[in-house]
Amino acid sequence: MPLIDIQVMEGVFDAAEKEAMIAEVVAGFGRVAGAAMADATSVRIHEVGSGAWGGTKGVWTTERALALKAEG
């Protein structure tokens, strides 16, 4: 049974967006692995606290992620 984990910054995606994210990931996986595998796929979304994630350009915050999301 495939288990797919997605990590996002807390407070960036609402419940409807997370539901759509899960559905789209399962559908995409199913296109590659087949319908039977898609039916057995589990997706978890983990929300990481603002300021607890970073990279080469510094620490990520919810505000920064929301600004990126707004850019589309």
Side-chain angles (χ1 to χ4, degrees), residues 1-59:
M1 306 321 146
L3 171 61
I4 300 169
D5 285 328
I6 300 170
Q7 296 183 32
V8 298
M9 187 68 58
E10 70 180 349
V12 177
F13 300 98
D14 64 26
E17 290 170 321
K18 289 185 269 188
E19 184 176 336
M21 199 180 301
I22 290 167
E24 291 293 330
V25 167
V26 170
F29 188 81
R31 284 191 292 278
V32 174
M37 288 293 274
D39 288 343
T41 298
S42 176
V43 177
R44 295 185 297 187
I45 297 178
H46 304 274
E47 291 188 295
V48 177
S50 184
W53 193 340
T56 59
K57 295 187 178 186
V59 175

